[in-house]
């Protein structure tokens, strides 16, 4: 297996692991963390692409994805905390009828 | 001058900035800074139209994510004509609004929105490719929403504005789709009919269909008509400017601009003609039963736009454009004349309350009369006859059935406008104290509609000259029918008949302007269709369970499925 | 790039192991620690792939800010840190979806091929140059994006604030007035 193939397989594996985690976890914050793993896997793929193609543009795209992850984490955690204000049971499925 | 005209959408922006910053400090003169914009637009457009020629502006690579993402503006005779119409009606409406909105606390905001509208409409007309057209298109949609829901303290205005946005969204979506399927390197809007451009997915038919849907949404045709009568919740000056003369005409303009593409898609053209005619008849019928003065006129606008669409659909785009030209004048006149009465009656708009009050406003009465005569197509005297004749003649030549339907529909035109005129202006005089005259407000209103009155009489004679001038953008056209002619005379007779019958009918004292309770119960099959739709949507809505895990599961499985399908199809 | 195989293998192993840790951790706090290890291992991978700017960004932005944010939130949660275990249906769903995704991705990978590696300048200067020319619009748009995220977070939080109480304040004012008049 070549190095590129290794990294490619790792990125794919990380993505699948993250998606399984998003389905397994019931705690909202843990679910968010699994989604972050998926995001990182995609970012790894972008960086691999940058390395293979030798493009600095792709690397800056990866940097922007990082910023996006930050924004998404902020909002996601805000939502999770807002959920916790109402329910004490940390189960994401209990929040099926949230208003406002 | 064409080169200057290509930047015409900038003309109202200084006025916008000044008015927004509150430049005439005195509240009584708020909005005066915006007056220059439409006047300059009108002057430049007329000079450019007389001069002829064309000019285009292009900045390449402006929107790199669209196939044709350049900024292109095209100023030719067609855009000059549209801008002249826009400038003319806008200038009249601005002066009129100085009177109509004189006591309104939101006057400054009103003029800012008006400036925004004129700028967006100018950009739409000057658009050289679909990307820029889309910007102007959304711009007029937004300003229309802002102006419809202008009075925030009145119930129903926001809902009316949202309905306009909803219909607009359908049109925007169609136009966006069209902008994205046009192949790369296609270039300007005018080349949409070329082999290269029409070769995208779906071909010329799909592109024409999408443009038709967008035009229908903007011009309230077919099932997308619903927003226009409700848009009457906005102030009367904008009903005149936006929902009679200019924005709703944008749909017709786009179809005329891309008429070469429509020639490549004859089935879409036929659909345009059929839907235009059906809308014209249905709206005319609906107007007869309206209890609200402005809504009656609004349905008339929808009907006349149907005539224009029919003209374009039967392969005579110039007739549709010509009718747009004359219609802008007399429909704005009808609205503004109505506005004088409404303003004098303290904002009341229902026909039952306005009965007979029109006779106290001389300018309004004469304006509405001239507008009505133009609408039914009084030959030689009014402009509407020239353009409506042209459409009916073209329809009779190419699609006779449609031509006859349009011809007979003029009866209903006379009927509904006669009803409106009769109730408000000719009915037995009501209580004089129901109206209040405010001379300082009425002076700009009364005198601003005089140019429209003249326009409604005179503009029809420009038909042949326009035909020559527009031969550049529109190509060779059929000659206009000579005046007077048989179909014109027949149409006028039918219209006048309807008019007289309606006036006689409503002058009887026992006529109630508001339709009473009807004994019509929705048939069982209508109810069944409604129930079926409801059941279908209720069952589908169970997918939205709110359980996040199910959504994630669905997404992941869907992604995997799509990947597998894509891989296996390779 | 094959001379980097060794370091890459180590980095990938740590990344995969810590990701599995995130997924299987029983308490959110453990998952957060695993996430920290995961992001640092990714930073190492980026560094090995000679994308230095993104590697540094990963350490500073991701590990240093985002994961720390996660840690803060987890410690502030009132749930006591215990998480309920996954139910049987969830495990089944996880395996089906995850398995399906792995199969699909593997099929997609097998059907495609990577182009040969061309060397290019991935240094910080090159990234800077591209950020300010080709990717300029996206780069500038990240600023309003972050602003909207901040405002959004504040709005989401404030919507659930209890209604302001006015009565007790009035009582306090009255009591104070009575005291002053005496």
């Amino acid at each position: 297996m070549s190095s590129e193939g290794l990294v490619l397989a790792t990125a794919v594996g990380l993505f699948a692991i993250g998606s399984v985690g998003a389905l397994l976890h019931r705690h909202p914050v843990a679910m968010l963390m699994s989604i972050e793993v998926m995001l990182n896997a995609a970012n790894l793929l972008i960086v691999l692409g940058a390395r293979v193609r030798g493009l600095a543009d792709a690397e800056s795209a990866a940097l922007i994805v990082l910023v996006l992850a930050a924004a998404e984490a902020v909002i996601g955690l805000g939502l999770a905390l807002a959920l916790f204000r109402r329910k004490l049971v940390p189960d994401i499925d209990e929040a099926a009828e949230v208003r406002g | 001058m064409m080169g200057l005209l290509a930047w015409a959408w900038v003309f109202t922006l200084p006025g916008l900035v000044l008015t927004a910053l509150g430049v005439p400090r005195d509240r009584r003169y708020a909005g005066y800074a915006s007056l220059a914009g439409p006047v300059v637009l009108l002057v430049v457009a007329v000079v450019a139209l007389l001069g002829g020629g064309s000019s285009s502006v292009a900045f390449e690579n402006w929107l790199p994510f669209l196939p044709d993402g350049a900024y292109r503006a095209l100023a030719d005779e067609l855009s000059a004509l549209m801008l002249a119409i826009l400038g003319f009606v806008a200038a009249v409406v601005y002066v009129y609004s100085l009177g109509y909105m004189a006591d309104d606390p939101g006057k400054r905001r009103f003029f800012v929105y008006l400036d925004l509208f004129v700028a967006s409409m100018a950009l739409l007309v000057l658009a050289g490719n679909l990307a820029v057209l889309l910007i102007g298109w959304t711009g007029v949609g937004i300003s229309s929403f802002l102006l419809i829901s202008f009075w925030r303290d009145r119930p129903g205005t926001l809902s009316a504005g949202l309905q306009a946005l909803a219909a607009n969204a359908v049109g925007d979506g169609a136009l966006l789709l069209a902008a994205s399927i046009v192949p790369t390197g296609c270039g300007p809007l005018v080349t949409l009919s070329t082999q290269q451009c029409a070769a995208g997915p779906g071909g010329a038919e799909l592109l024409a269909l999408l443009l038709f849907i967008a035009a229908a949404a903007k011009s309230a045709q077919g099932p997308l008509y619903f927003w226009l009568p409700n848009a009457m919740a906005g102030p009367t000056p904008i009903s005149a400017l936006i929902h009679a003369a200019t924005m709703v005409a944008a749909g017709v303009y786009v179809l005329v601009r891309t008429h070469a593409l429509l020639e490549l898609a004859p089935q879409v053209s036929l659909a345009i003609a059929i839907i235009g005619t059906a809308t014209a008849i249905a709206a005319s019928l609906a107007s007869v039963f309206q209890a609200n003065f402005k809504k009656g006129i609004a349905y008339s606008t929808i009907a006349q736009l149907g005539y224009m669409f029919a003209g374009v659909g039967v392969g005579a785009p110039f007739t549709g454009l010509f009718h747009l030209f004359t219609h802008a004048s007399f429909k704005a006149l009808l609205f503004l004349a109505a506005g004088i009465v409404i303003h004098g009656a303290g904002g009341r708009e229902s026909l039952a309350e306005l009965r007979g009050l029109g006779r106290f406003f001389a300018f309004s009465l004469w304006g509405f009369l001239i507008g009505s005569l133009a609408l039914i197509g009084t030959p030689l005297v009014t402009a509407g006859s020239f353009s409506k004749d042209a459409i009916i003649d073209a329809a009779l030549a190419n699609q006779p059935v449609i031509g006859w339907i349009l011809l007979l529909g003029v009866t209903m035109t006379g009927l509904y406008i006669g009803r409106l005129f009769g109730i408000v202006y000719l009915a037995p005089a009501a209580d004089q104290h129901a109206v209040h005259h405010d001379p300082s407000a009425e002076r700009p209103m009364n005198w601003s509609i005089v140019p429209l009155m003249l326009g409604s009489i005179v503009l029809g004679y420009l038909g042949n000259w326009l035909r020559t001038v527009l031969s550049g953008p529109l190509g060779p056209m059929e000659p206009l029918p000579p005046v007077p002619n048989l179909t014109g005379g027949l149409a006028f007779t039918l219209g006048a008949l309807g008019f007289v019958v309606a006036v006689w009918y409503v002058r009887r004292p026992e006529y109630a302007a508001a339709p009473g309770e009807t004994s019509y119960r929705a048939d069982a099959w209508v109810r069944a269709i409604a129930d079926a739709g409801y059941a279908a949507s209720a069952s589908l809505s169970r997918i939205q369970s709110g359980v996040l895990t199910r959504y994630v599961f669905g997404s992941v499985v869907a992604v995997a499925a799509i990947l597998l399908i894509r891989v296996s199809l390779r | 790039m094959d001379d980097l195989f060794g370091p890459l293998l180590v980095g990938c192993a740590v990344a995969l192991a810590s990701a599995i840790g995130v997924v299987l951790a029983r308490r959110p706090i453990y998952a957060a620690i695993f996430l920290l290890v995961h992001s640092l291992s990714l930073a190492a991978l980026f560094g090995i792939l000679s994308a230095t700017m993104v590697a540094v960004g990963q350490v500073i932005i991701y590990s240093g800010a985002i994961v720390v944010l996660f840690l803060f939130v987890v410690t502030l949660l009132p749930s006591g840190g215990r998480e309920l275990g996954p139910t049987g249906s969830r495990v089944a769903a996880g395996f089906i979806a995850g398995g399906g995704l792995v199969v699909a991705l593997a099929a997609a990978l097998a059907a495609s091929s990577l182009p040969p590696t061309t060397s290019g300048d991935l240094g910080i200067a090159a990234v800077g140059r591209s950020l300010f020319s080709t990717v300029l619009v996206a780069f500038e748009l990240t600023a309003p994006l972050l602003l909207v995220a901040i405002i959004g977070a504040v709005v989401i939080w404030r919507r659930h604030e209890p209604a302001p109480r006015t009565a007790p304040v009035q009582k306090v004012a009255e009591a104070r007035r009575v005291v002053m008049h005496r």
Side-chain angles (χ1 to χ4, degrees):
Chain A
M1 168 179 291
S2 66
S3 314
E4 294 90 344
L6 172 68
V7 181
L8 202 56
T10 315
V12 163
L14 283 175
F15 193 80
I17 291 174
S19 61
V20 168
L23 287 164
L24 283 183
H25 278 290
R26 285 161 83 174
H27 198 270
V29 181
M31 190 187 197
L32 269 171
M33 284 192 254
S34 311
I35 294 177
E36 294 291 331
V37 169
M38 290 165 83
L39 203 99
N40 275 317
N43 217 6
L44 180 62
L45 205 57
I46 295 179
V47 171
L48 176 68
R51 181 68 162 89
V52 163
R53 295 262 186 191
L55 285 176
D57 288 345
E59 199 182 333
S60 21
L63 206 54
I64 292 182
V65 169
L66 218 47
V67 174
L68 224 132
E72 172 242 331
V74 164
I75 297 273
L77 287 171
L79 278 173
L81 277 177
L83 273 180
F84 267 98
R85 259 193 164 166
R86 299 164 165 230
K87 313 253 179 207
L88 296 174
V89 179
D91 187 347
I92 192 88
D93 291 339
E94 296 267 329
E97 301 261 332
V98 171
R99 289 185 157 275
Chain B
M1 196 50 94
M2 278 290 181
L4 181 60
L5 195 64
W7 291 98
W9 58 274
V10 178
F11 291 170
T12 50
L13 294 182
L16 192 156
V17 171
L18 286 176
T19 309
L21 291 176
V23 161
R25 282 274 158 213
D26 190 342
R27 272 209 62 243
R28 281 173 301 152
Y29 301 122
Y32 274 60
S34 303
L35 274 181
V39 175
V40 169
L41 183 64
L42 173 64
V43 168
V44 172
V46 169
V47 172
L49 186 61
L50 291 172
S54 80
S55 154
S56 60
V57 174
F59 295 113
E60 304 289 338
N61 283 325
W62 182 57
L63 286 173
F65 47 86
L66 283 179
D68 175 32
Y71 171 86
R72 284 181 214 278
L74 175 67
D76 62 358
E77 294 90 346
L78 180 58
S79 10
L81 176 66
M82 291 292 297
L83 287 174
I85 298 174
L86 176 65
F88 178 46
V89 181
V92 168
V93 163
Y94 272 59
V95 174
Y96 184 92
S97 306
L98 290 174
Y100 193 84
M101 306 291 287
D103 314 316
D104 197 294
K107 201 158 58 154
R108 216 180 282 286
R109 188 166 48 105
F110 186 74
F111 278 98
V112 168
Y113 291 161
L114 270 183
D115 282 331
L116 180 66
F117 168 74
V118 174
S120 311
M121 185 73 198
L123 186 62
L124 193 161
V125 167
L126 287 167
N129 65 352
L130 281 172
V132 179
L133 181 70
L134 199 57
I135 297 179
W137 198 265
T138 353
V140 296
I142 293 176
S143 358
S144 170
F145 165 73
L146 289 172
L147 285 166
I148 293 174
S149 55
F150 181 71
W151 285 313
R152 299 190 195 131
D153 47 347
R154 297 193 195 183
T157 54
L158 183 63
S159 150
L162 289 176
Q163 284 181 33
L165 269 187
N168 233 304
V170 173
D172 283 356
L175 204 55
L176 195 57
L177 202 56
S180 45
I181 68 172
V182 166
T184 319
C186 196
L189 198 62
V190 292
T191 62
L192 275 186
S193 60
T194 58
Q195 190 75 351
Q196 184 190 12
C197 293
E205 279 85 11
L206 181 61
L207 207 51
L209 182 64
L210 289 172
L211 286 174
F212 169 47
I213 293 176
K218 197 60 96 177
S219 301
Q221 295 296 296
L224 294 169
Y225 81 95
F226 59 88
W227 64 274
L228 192 51
N230 291 313
M232 298 298 115
T236 311
I238 61 135
S239 300
L241 178 62
I242 301 184
H243 306 121
T246 43
M247 188 185 87
V248 293
V252 181
Y253 165 72
V254 163
L255 290 181
V256 169
R257 178 64 90 180
T258 56
H259 70 279
L261 180 68
L262 292 176
E263 282 166 27
L264 292 180
Q267 287 175 321
V268 177
S269 279
L270 185 62
I272 294 177
I274 293 177
I275 292 190
T277 314
T279 311
I281 302 300
S284 303
L285 196 58
S287 176
V288 179
F289 292 99
Q290 293 304 305
N292 181 306
F293 194 17
K294 282 172 63 175
K295 280 197 184 164
I297 310 178
Y299 275 102
S300 166
T301 309
I302 300 176
Q304 294 304 304
L305 287 167
Y307 272 82
M308 292 179 221
F309 268 61
V312 171
V314 299
F318 175 68
T319 59
L321 187 70
F322 188 28
H323 198 53
L324 193 165
F325 178 56
T326 57
H327 172 264
S329 182
F330 62 73
K331 189 48 63 68
L333 175 62
L334 283 171
F335 266 113
L336 293 182
I340 296 179
V341 177
I342 292 173
H343 184 87
R348 281 174 288 174
E349 291 177 6
S350 79
L351 285 170
E353 291 171 334
L354 289 176
R355 191 181 175 86
L357 296 182
R359 58 179 61 221
F360 300 121
F361 300 93
F363 274 84
S364 171
L365 191 149
W366 282 104
F368 205 89
L369 181 61
I370 294 177
S372 311
L373 291 177
L375 184 59
I376 61 178
T378 316
L380 293 178
V381 176
T382 56
S385 61
F386 292 87
S387 48
K388 199 179 286 205
D389 276 356
I391 292 181
I392 298 179
D393 258 2
L396 284 173
N398 296 335
Q399 304 273 1
V401 176
I402 289 183
W404 277 106
I405 296 178
L406 289 177
L407 183 58
L408 295 172
V410 183
T411 321
M412 273 198 295
T413 307
L415 210 63
Y416 67 68
I417 203 71
R419 171 179 177 264
L420 291 175
F421 185 64
I423 294 179
V424 179
Y425 295 92
L426 290 183
D431 179 20
Q432 170 109 23
H433 297 289
V435 304
H436 71 274
H437 285 268
D438 178 10
S440 66
E442 279 177 27
R443 209 173 308 121
M445 288 200 282
N446 286 339
W447 289 100
S448 60
I449 66 174
V450 170
L452 288 178
M453 289 197 238
L454 292 172
S456 305
I457 296 174
V458 163
L459 286 178
Y461 287 96
L462 295 175
N464 280 311
W465 174 71
L466 277 178
R467 207 178 126 256
T468 332
V469 167
L470 290 175
S471 56
L474 289 183
M477 295 170 269
E478 309 244 325
L480 287 178
V483 172
N485 61 359
L486 189 60
T487 35
L490 187 57
F492 169 64
T493 318
L494 291 172
L497 194 66
F499 191 84
V500 167
V501 166
V503 168
W504 168 80
Y505 193 78
V506 301
R507 284 199 62 167
R508 300 176 312 156
E510 65 267 19
Y511 177 76
E517 283 287 319
T518 57
S519 57
Y520 177 75
R521 303 248 174 274
D523 283 327
W525 58 273
V526 175
R527 240 177 304 154
I529 294 178
D531 285 340
Y534 188 75
S537 77
S539 61
L540 268 181
S541 72
R542 261 180 259 136
I543 295 181
Q544 277 198 312
S545 56
V547 179
L548 201 59
T549 319
R550 294 227 186 106
Y551 291 168
V552 175
F553 182 65
S555 315
V556 173
V557 167
V559 166
I562 292 175
L563 266 177
L564 280 173
I565 292 176
R566 180 67 208 269
V567 166
S568 65
L569 279 182
R570 196 172 274 229
Chain C
M1 206 169 92
D2 283 318
D3 51 329
L4 301 166
F5 194 82
L8 277 177
L9 188 58
V10 173
C12 291
V14 176
L16 281 166
S18 47
I20 294 178
V22 171
V23 164
L24 293 181
R26 261 324 179 87
R27 291 196 191 182
I29 186 88
Y30 293 161
I33 302 291
F34 275 118
L35 188 64
L36 182 64
V37 175
H38 176 78
S39 76
L40 286 174
S41 71
L42 275 185
L45 276 176
F46 293 158
I48 299 171
L49 288 173
S50 59
T52 31
M53 182 70 184
V54 187
V56 172
Q58 180 82 358
V59 173
I60 297 177
I61 301 174
Y62 208 88
S63 324
I66 299 179
V67 179
V68 170
L69 184 64
F70 269 101
L71 274 167
F72 265 107
V73 169
V74 165
T75 49
L76 281 174
L77 286 176
S79 66
R82 276 246 133 226
E83 180 179 353
L84 311 159
T87 60
S89 63
R90 275 176 177 263
V91 174
F95 273 110
I96 295 175
L101 194 59
V102 167
V103 166
L105 286 170
L109 279 183
S112 59
S113 57
L114 269 182
T117 310
T118 47
S119 64
D121 183 13
L122 292 179
I124 297 186
V127 171
R129 245 175 278 132
S130 102
L131 272 181
F132 284 96
S133 58
T134 337
V135 195
L136 180 63
V137 176
F139 177 62
E140 295 294 340
L141 283 178
T142 56
L145 173 71
L146 288 171
L147 184 66
V148 168
I150 294 173
I151 296 177
V154 172
V155 166
I156 292 176
W157 188 244
R158 288 188 59 174
R159 268 180 159 189
H160 300 272
E161 269 180 351
R165 303 174 221 179
T166 48
V169 175
Q170 282 175 345
K171 282 195 195 139
V172 169
E174 277 171 357
R176 209 178 290 150
R177 220 185 309 131
V178 167
V179 169
M180 286 198 306
H181 276 294
R182 202 170 278 183

